[in-house]
Amino acid sequence: MQIRTHLTMLVRINSLIFWFGLSIICEAQYKRLELVLATPNKAIFGPDISQFYMYTNRSFEGQPSKPWQGGKYGYVRNPKRTTSGIIYSKFHEGVDIRPIERNSRGVPLDKVCSIASGKVMHTSRSAGASNYGRYVVIEHDWGYGKFYSLYAHLADISCTVGQSVRPGTSIATLGYTGDGIDRTRAHLHLELNLMISRNFERWYRRHYVAPNKHGLYNGINLAGIDISGLYKEHQKNPSITLPQFIKKTKPYWKLLVPNKGMPLIMKSYPWLAKNMADATNNPSWEITMSRSGIPLSISPHNKKVSSPTINWVDYSATPHSWNTRSRLTGNKDKAKLTAIGLRFVQLLMEK
Ligand SMILES: [Zn+2]
């Protein structure tokens, strides 16, 4: 019994040393976030940010409009009138950046640049192969797990897979390829993402019939962080790191999953780990999620669950499905995973 206690303590101490050691090593190796804008449009830092964004075509209660706010990141689309005012139920995972230069026929001329140092991982050159139209994905490594910037609706692509890029390296021309865009609404859709799973393909094959043309760089496997918020934070504090920025996001739900070993995503993003001193034979992991589905932290938990279970949800007077991209159902302080939600959790937990 005593030996077991000692062993348990040893394991606990070891895991503590491991995690503290890892976090010290990681933080010492954090690189400065050198972030630049992706096109010549700099209005995000100017007095009129409406000039940064491309509008969306909206029809609400019979009224057509062209709100620039529809180009922002976040829940900015599909308005619904509720007793507590108008809320937006459709999530936009990036920003839609308006072109600033067009030729006499209205074709945009803006060059698209890499927002930071990195390596080109994916170029999708066939306009019809994705809702993104022609798109590029660049991998960035600032020392806290890999992040992926994505540039969509491009007219043409001038970079190649494997190419190293610097902040501001030209990679493409802004365009209007992809679903639901025409020349007047030409824009750059820009995202900065976490990768949900390194084993995306296996999960994809279980759920889809059509072949995956984009490998790990399929939009389903990339979770976009608040890139406009990051630009503004970075301008105020150039030494900010992405873990610091992401951890400021408000939690919306917490999920318990059975402990079948450390989730892969914790290895990809070690800063997600919290309270690791308690990680000894913990029957479950608790994952804290944002409204849009960005994991914010993962900690060991003592409650035993046989399948993924919602452990907490933020109070909402409107249906949780509107706030969570249909991953949860229910309202007020009650929520359950939907079939869509369960599939998302399966991807998140993919081994
Ligand atoms: Zn967009």
Coordinates of all heavy atoms in Angstrom, one line a residue, residues 38-87:
A38 N -2.4 41.2 -44.6 CA -2.3 40.3 -45.8 C -2.4 41.0 -47.1 O -2.1 40.5 -48.2 CB -3.3 39.2 -45.6
T39 N -3.0 42.3 -47.1 CA -3.2 43.0 -48.4 C -2.8 44.5 -48.1 O -2.6 44.9 -46.9 CB -4.6 43.0 -48.9 OG1 -5.4 43.8 -48.0 CG2 -5.2 41.5 -48.8
P40 N -2.8 45.3 -49.1 CA -2.5 46.8 -48.9 C -3.6 47.5 -48.1 O -3.4 48.7 -47.7 CB -2.4 47.3 -50.3 CG -2.2 46.2 -51.2 CD -2.9 45.0 -50.6
N41 N -4.7 46.8 -47.8 CA -5.8 47.5 -47.1 C -5.4 47.5 -45.6 O -5.3 46.5 -44.9 CB -7.1 46.7 -47.3 CG -8.3 47.4 -46.6 OD1 -8.1 48.2 -45.7 ND2 -9.5 47.2 -47.2
K42 N -5.2 48.8 -45.1 CA -4.7 48.9 -43.7 C -5.8 49.6 -42.8 O -5.5 50.0 -41.7 CB -3.5 49.8 -43.7 CG -2.3 49.2 -44.4 CD -1.0 50.0 -44.3 CE 0.2 49.2 -44.9 NZ 0.0 48.4 -46.0
A43 N -7.0 49.6 -43.3 CA -8.1 50.3 -42.6 C -8.5 49.8 -41.2 O -9.1 50.4 -40.4 CB -9.4 50.4 -43.5
I44 N -8.0 48.5 -41.0 CA -8.3 47.9 -39.7 C -7.7 48.8 -38.5 O -8.1 48.8 -37.4 CB -7.9 46.5 -39.6 CG1 -8.4 45.8 -38.3 CG2 -6.4 46.3 -39.7 CD1 -8.2 44.3 -38.3
F45 N -6.6 49.5 -38.9 CA -5.9 50.3 -37.9 C -6.3 51.8 -38.0 O -5.8 52.7 -37.3 CB -4.4 50.2 -38.0 CG -3.9 48.8 -37.7 CD1 -3.1 48.1 -38.6 CD2 -4.3 48.1 -36.5 CE1 -2.6 46.9 -38.3 CE2 -3.8 46.9 -36.3 CZ -3.0 46.2 -37.2
G46 N -7.2 52.1 -38.9 CA -7.6 53.5 -39.2 C -8.8 53.9 -38.5 O -9.4 53.2 -37.7
P47 N -9.3 55.2 -38.8 CA -10.5 55.7 -38.0 C -11.8 55.0 -38.5 O -12.8 55.1 -37.8 CB -10.4 57.2 -38.3 CG -9.7 57.3 -39.6 CD -8.7 56.1 -39.7
D48 N -11.8 54.5 -39.7 CA -13.1 53.9 -40.3 C -12.8 52.5 -40.6 O -12.5 52.1 -41.8 CB -13.5 54.8 -41.5 CG -14.8 54.3 -42.1 OD1 -15.4 53.4 -41.5 OD2 -15.2 54.8 -43.2
I49 N -13.1 51.6 -39.7 CA -12.8 50.1 -39.9 C -13.8 49.5 -41.0 O -13.5 48.5 -41.5 CB -12.7 49.3 -38.7 CG1 -14.1 49.3 -37.9 CG2 -11.6 49.6 -37.8 CD1 -14.2 48.1 -36.9
S50 N -14.9 50.2 -41.2 CA -15.8 49.7 -42.2 C -15.1 49.6 -43.6 O -15.5 48.8 -44.4 CB -17.0 50.6 -42.3 OG -16.7 51.8 -42.9
Q51 N -14.1 50.4 -43.8 CA -13.3 50.3 -45.1 C -12.4 49.1 -45.2 O -11.9 48.8 -46.3 CB -12.5 51.6 -45.3 CG -13.4 52.8 -45.5 CD -14.4 52.7 -46.6 OE1 -14.0 52.4 -47.7 NE2 -15.7 52.8 -46.3
F52 N -12.2 48.4 -44.1 CA -11.4 47.2 -44.1 C -12.2 46.0 -44.6 O -11.7 45.1 -45.3 CB -10.9 46.9 -42.7 CG -9.9 45.7 -42.6 CD1 -8.7 45.8 -43.1 CD2 -10.3 44.6 -41.9 CE1 -7.8 44.8 -43.1 CE2 -9.4 43.5 -41.9 CZ -8.1 43.6 -42.4
Y53 N -13.5 46.0 -44.3 CA -14.3 44.8 -44.5 C -15.1 44.8 -45.8 O -15.6 45.9 -46.2 CB -15.2 44.6 -43.3 CG -14.5 44.3 -42.1 CD1 -14.3 45.3 -41.1 CD2 -14.0 43.0 -41.8 CE1 -13.6 45.0 -39.9 CE2 -13.3 42.7 -40.7 CZ -13.2 43.7 -39.7 OH -12.5 43.4 -38.5
M54 N -15.3 43.7 -46.4 CA -16.2 43.5 -47.5 C -17.6 43.2 -47.0 O -17.7 42.3 -46.1 CB -15.7 42.5 -48.5 CG -16.7 42.2 -49.7 SD -17.2 43.7 -50.6 CE -15.8 44.1 -51.5
Y55 N -18.6 43.9 -47.5 CA -20.0 43.7 -47.0 C -20.5 42.3 -47.4 O -20.0 41.6 -48.3 CB -20.9 44.8 -47.5 CG -21.1 44.7 -49.0 CD1 -22.0 43.9 -49.7 CD2 -20.3 45.6 -49.9 CE1 -22.1 43.9 -51.0 CE2 -20.4 45.5 -51.2 CZ -21.3 44.7 -51.8 OH -21.4 44.7 -53.2
T56 N -21.6 41.9 -46.8 CA -22.3 40.7 -47.2 C -23.7 41.1 -47.7 O -24.1 42.2 -47.3 CB -22.5 39.6 -46.1 OG1 -23.0 40.3 -44.9 CG2 -21.2 38.9 -45.8
N57 N -24.3 40.3 -48.5 CA -25.7 40.6 -49.0 C -26.6 40.0 -48.0 O -26.6 38.8 -47.8 CB -25.9 40.0 -50.4 CG -25.2 40.8 -51.4 OD1 -25.3 42.0 -51.5 ND2 -24.4 40.1 -52.3
R58 N -27.4 40.8 -47.4 CA -28.3 40.3 -46.3 C -29.8 40.6 -46.7 O -30.1 41.6 -47.3 CB -28.0 41.0 -45.0 CG -28.9 40.6 -43.8 CD -28.4 41.2 -42.5 NE -27.1 40.6 -42.1 CZ -26.3 41.2 -41.2 NH1 -26.7 42.3 -40.6 NH2 -25.2 40.6 -40.8
S59 N -30.6 39.6 -46.4 CA -32.1 39.9 -46.5 C -32.7 39.5 -45.1 O -32.7 38.4 -44.8 CB -32.7 39.1 -47.6 OG -34.1 39.3 -47.6
F60 N -33.1 40.5 -44.4 CA -33.6 40.3 -43.0 C -35.0 40.9 -42.9 O -35.2 42.1 -43.1 CB -32.7 40.9 -42.0 CG -33.1 40.6 -40.6 CD1 -33.5 39.4 -40.1 CD2 -33.1 41.7 -39.7 CE1 -33.8 39.2 -38.8 CE2 -33.5 41.5 -38.4 CZ -33.9 40.3 -37.9
E61 N -36.0 40.1 -42.6 CA -37.4 40.5 -42.4 C -37.8 41.3 -43.7 O -38.4 42.4 -43.6 CB -37.6 41.3 -41.1 CG -37.3 40.5 -39.9 CD -37.3 41.2 -38.6 OE1 -37.2 42.5 -38.6 OE2 -37.4 40.6 -37.5
G62 N -37.5 40.8 -44.8 CA -37.9 41.4 -46.1 C -37.0 42.6 -46.5 O -37.3 43.2 -47.6
Q63 N -36.1 43.0 -45.7 CA -35.2 44.2 -46.0 C -33.9 43.8 -46.5 O -33.1 43.2 -45.8 CB -35.0 45.0 -44.7 CG -36.2 45.8 -44.3 CD -36.4 47.0 -45.2 OE1 -35.5 47.6 -45.7 NE2 -37.7 47.4 -45.3
P64 N -33.5 44.0 -47.8 CA -32.2 43.8 -48.3 C -31.2 44.8 -47.7 O -31.6 46.0 -47.6 CB -32.3 43.8 -49.8 CG -33.5 44.6 -50.1 CD -34.4 44.6 -48.9
S65 N -30.0 44.4 -47.4 CA -29.0 45.3 -47.0 C -27.6 44.8 -47.3 O -27.5 43.6 -47.7 CB -29.1 45.6 -45.5 OG -28.8 44.4 -44.7
K66 N -26.6 45.6 -47.2 CA -25.2 45.2 -47.5 C -24.3 45.6 -46.3 O -23.5 46.5 -46.4 CB -24.7 45.9 -48.7 CG -25.4 45.5 -50.0 CD -24.9 46.2 -51.2 CE -25.7 46.0 -52.5 NZ -25.8 44.6 -52.9
P67 N -24.5 45.0 -45.1 CA -23.7 45.4 -43.9 C -22.2 45.0 -44.0 O -21.9 43.8 -44.3 CB -24.4 44.6 -42.8 CG -25.0 43.4 -43.5 CD -25.4 43.8 -44.9
W68 N -21.4 46.0 -43.8 CA -19.9 45.6 -43.8 C -19.6 44.7 -42.6 O -18.6 44.0 -42.6 CB -19.1 46.9 -43.7 CG -19.3 47.7 -42.5 CD1 -20.1 48.8 -42.3 CD2 -18.6 47.6 -41.2 NE1 -20.0 49.3 -41.0 CE2 -19.1 48.6 -40.3 CE3 -17.6 46.8 -40.7 CZ2 -18.6 48.7 -39.0 CZ3 -17.1 46.9 -39.4 CH2 -17.6 47.9 -38.6
Q69 N -20.4 44.8 -41.5 CA -20.2 44.0 -40.3 C -20.2 42.5 -40.6 O -19.6 41.7 -39.9 CB -21.2 44.3 -39.2 CG -21.1 45.7 -38.6 CD -21.9 46.8 -39.4 OE1 -22.3 46.6 -40.5 NE2 -22.1 47.9 -38.7
G70 N -20.9 42.1 -41.7 CA -21.0 40.7 -42.1 C -19.6 40.2 -42.6 O -19.4 39.0 -42.7
G71 N -18.6 41.1 -42.8 CA -17.3 40.7 -43.2 C -16.4 40.4 -42.0 O -15.2 40.0 -42.1
K72 N -16.9 40.8 -40.8 CA -16.1 40.6 -39.6 C -15.9 39.2 -39.2 O -16.7 38.3 -39.6 CB -16.7 41.4 -38.4 CG -16.5 42.9 -38.6 CD -17.4 43.7 -37.6 CE -16.7 43.7 -36.2 NZ -17.5 44.4 -35.2
Y73 N -15.0 38.9 -38.3 CA -14.9 37.6 -37.7 C -15.9 37.4 -36.6 O -16.3 38.4 -35.9 CB -13.5 37.5 -37.0 CG -13.3 36.3 -36.1 CD1 -12.8 35.1 -36.7 CD2 -13.7 36.3 -34.8 CE1 -12.6 33.9 -35.9 CE2 -13.5 35.1 -34.0 CZ -13.0 34.0 -34.5 OH -12.9 32.9 -33.7
G74 N -16.5 36.2 -36.5 CA -17.3 35.9 -35.3 C -18.8 35.6 -35.8 O -19.0 35.3 -37.0
Y75 N -19.7 35.7 -34.8 CA -21.1 35.5 -35.1 C -21.7 36.8 -35.7 O -22.1 37.7 -35.0 CB -21.9 35.1 -33.9 CG -21.6 33.6 -33.5 CD1 -20.5 33.3 -32.7 CD2 -22.3 32.6 -34.0 CE1 -20.2 32.0 -32.3 CE2 -22.1 31.3 -33.6 CZ -21.0 31.0 -32.8 OH -20.7 29.7 -32.5
V76 N -21.6 36.9 -37.0 CA -21.9 38.2 -37.7 C -23.0 38.0 -38.8 O -23.4 38.9 -39.5 CB -20.7 38.9 -38.3 CG1 -19.8 39.3 -37.2 CG2 -19.9 38.0 -39.3
R77 N -23.4 36.7 -39.0 CA -24.4 36.5 -40.1 C -25.6 35.8 -39.6 O -25.7 35.3 -38.5 CB -23.6 35.6 -41.1 CG -22.5 36.4 -41.7 CD -21.6 35.6 -42.7 NE -20.6 36.4 -43.2 CZ -19.7 36.1 -44.1 NH1 -19.7 34.8 -44.6 NH2 -18.8 36.9 -44.5
N78 N -26.6 35.7 -40.5 CA -27.9 35.1 -40.2 C -28.6 35.7 -39.0 O -28.7 35.0 -37.9 CB -27.8 33.6 -40.1 CG -27.6 32.9 -41.4 OD1 -27.1 33.5 -42.3 ND2 -27.9 31.6 -41.5
P79 N -29.0 36.9 -39.1 CA -29.7 37.6 -37.9 C -31.0 36.9 -37.5 O -31.7 36.4 -38.4 CB -29.9 39.0 -38.3 CG -29.8 39.0 -39.8 CD -29.0 37.8 -40.2
K80 N -31.3 36.9 -36.2 CA -32.6 36.3 -35.8 C -33.1 37.3 -34.7 O -32.3 37.7 -33.8 CB -32.4 35.0 -35.1 CG -32.1 33.9 -36.2 CD -32.0 32.5 -35.5 CE -31.4 31.4 -36.4 NZ -32.4 31.0 -37.4
R81 N -34.4 37.7 -34.8 CA -34.9 38.5 -33.8 C -35.4 37.7 -32.6 O -36.1 36.7 -32.8 CB -36.1 39.3 -34.4 CG -36.6 40.5 -33.4 CD -37.6 41.3 -34.1 NE -37.2 42.1 -35.2 CZ -36.5 43.2 -35.2 NH1 -36.1 43.7 -34.1 NH2 -36.1 43.8 -36.3
T82 N -35.0 38.1 -31.4 CA -35.3 37.4 -30.2 C -35.9 38.4 -29.2 O -35.8 39.6 -29.4 CB -34.1 36.6 -29.6 OG1 -33.3 37.6 -29.0 CG2 -33.3 35.9 -30.6
T83 N -36.4 37.9 -28.1 CA -36.9 38.8 -27.1 C -35.8 39.7 -26.5 O -36.0 40.8 -26.0 CB -37.6 38.0 -25.9 OG1 -36.7 36.9 -25.6 CG2 -38.9 37.5 -26.3
S84 N -34.6 39.1 -26.5 CA -33.4 40.0 -26.0 C -32.7 40.7 -27.1 O -31.5 41.0 -27.0 CB -32.5 39.1 -25.2 OG -32.3 37.8 -25.8
G85 N -33.4 40.9 -28.3 CA -32.8 41.7 -29.4 C -32.3 40.8 -30.5 O -32.7 39.6 -30.5
I86 N -31.6 41.4 -31.5 CA -31.2 40.7 -32.7 C -29.9 39.9 -32.3 O -29.0 40.5 -31.8 CB -31.1 41.6 -33.9 CG1 -32.4 42.1 -34.3 CG2 -30.4 40.9 -35.0 CD1 -32.4 43.3 -35.3
I87 N -29.9 38.6 -32.6 CA -28.6 37.9 -32.5 C -28.3 37.3 -33.8 O -29.1 37.1 -34.7 CB -28.7 36.9 -31.3 CG1 -29.5 35.7 -31.8 CG2 -29.2 37.4 -30.0 CD1 -29.0 34.4 -31.2

